Amino acid sequence: GYHAIESAVSTININPSVAFKASDKLSLGFGLNAQYIDVTLSSAVDFGTACVLQEDGGVLPDGTCGAAGLSPQSADGFAEITGDALSYGWNAGLIYDLSEATRFGLAYRSSVEHDLDGDIDFTVPASAAFMTSSGLFTDTAAEASVMLPETLTASMHHALNDRLNLMADASWTGWGRFKELRIEYPDSPQPDSVTTEK
């Protein structure tokens, strides 16, 4: 629960496109993508451990956590980050007739970078409410950038006879673009960011 309770990413992609026959054997297509993304990330927060760490770091006076009855995993709260964005990309493709029975297809969809704006909402247990007096663990704005990778797909279609077709495809996705998910808190005394590595 401290890593994740809910991790939900939803996208809606609107993709108007055009295609034309460049020659008797070659057809080309091109499209634009308007992509909306909605993200929800939630997790439990161990306020007992957070208190002890702040006490050890000199943020809170010694004995504060004990007086409040806080120890590691003794007082869990909740954090939920929500955000959305609208971004744009493009796609292109071709179909080439190798023969009357065989054709080859190639399709590319660009990467899309989303700059999300949202909020982080904390649920703080009563025993740890004093920790919010410095501005920590208070509801605030949040920002994040997410790069959704490009894809490349190659396909073949072969008519074995009038009743049977053989089809195959292979796809590549550039997941190397996705290095981390870094959530920034620009207007808060909370830590500058939280990073999830790939």
Side-chain angles (χ1 to χ4, degrees):
Y2 297 133
H3 292 288
I5 293 175
E6 179 185 7
S7 299
V9 178
S10 301
T11 60
I12 298 173
N13 192 75
I14 299 173
N15 185 191
S17 57
V18 295
F20 64 97
K21 198 170 182 66
S23 70
D24 290 340
K25 292 182 174 293
L26 179 63
S27 297
L28 301 174
F30 179 80
L32 296 175
N33 296 276
Q35 189 175 90
Y36 171 78
I37 186 170
D38 184 78
V39 175
T40 299
L41 305 171
S42 64
S43 63
V45 178
D46 182 358
F47 281 91
T49 295
C51 184
V52 171
L53 290 174
Q54 289 187 39
E55 196 176 83
D56 290 346
V59 177
L60 296 173
D62 289 344
T64 301
C65 301
L70 294 176
S71 59
Q73 298 185 351
S74 67
D76 284 354
F78 185 76
E80 181 177 71
I81 299 170
T82 56
D84 61 0
L86 177 65
S87 300
Y88 302 92
W90 59 276
N91 61 284
L94 64 84
I95 297 175
Y96 188 78
D97 294 331
L98 299 172
S99 68
E100 290 186 3
T102 306
R103 62 180 181 263
F104 169 77
L106 191 65
Y108 175 82
R109 186 174 295 275
S110 74
S111 59
V112 178
E113 182 174 9
H114 288 286
D115 294 317
L116 292 94
D117 292 315
D119 301 284
I120 179 167
D121 298 314
F122 288 100
T123 301
V124 182
S127 59
F130 68 91
M131 296 174 63
T132 65
S133 60
S134 63
L136 295 172
F137 304 111
T138 57
D139 297 349
T140 186
E143 300 174 352
S145 292
V146 178
M147 177 72 79
L148 300 184
E150 67 270 45
T151 61
L152 181 65
T153 302
S155 60
M156 291 288 291
H157 179 282
H158 180 69
L160 293 176
N161 53 50
D162 292 340
R163 302 183 63 184
L164 183 62
N165 295 322
L166 179 65
M167 293 171 283
D169 66 72
S171 296
W172 171 85
T173 302
W175 284 113
R177 285 190 178 275
F178 189 82
K179 303 296 183 184
E180 63 184 16
L181 175 59
R182 183 182 296 270
I183 301 167
E184 306 282 350
Y185 309 126
D187 303 320
S188 172
Q190 273 138 179
D192 290 337
S193 66
V194 174
T195 301
T196 301
E197 296 294 336
K198 176 181 174 183

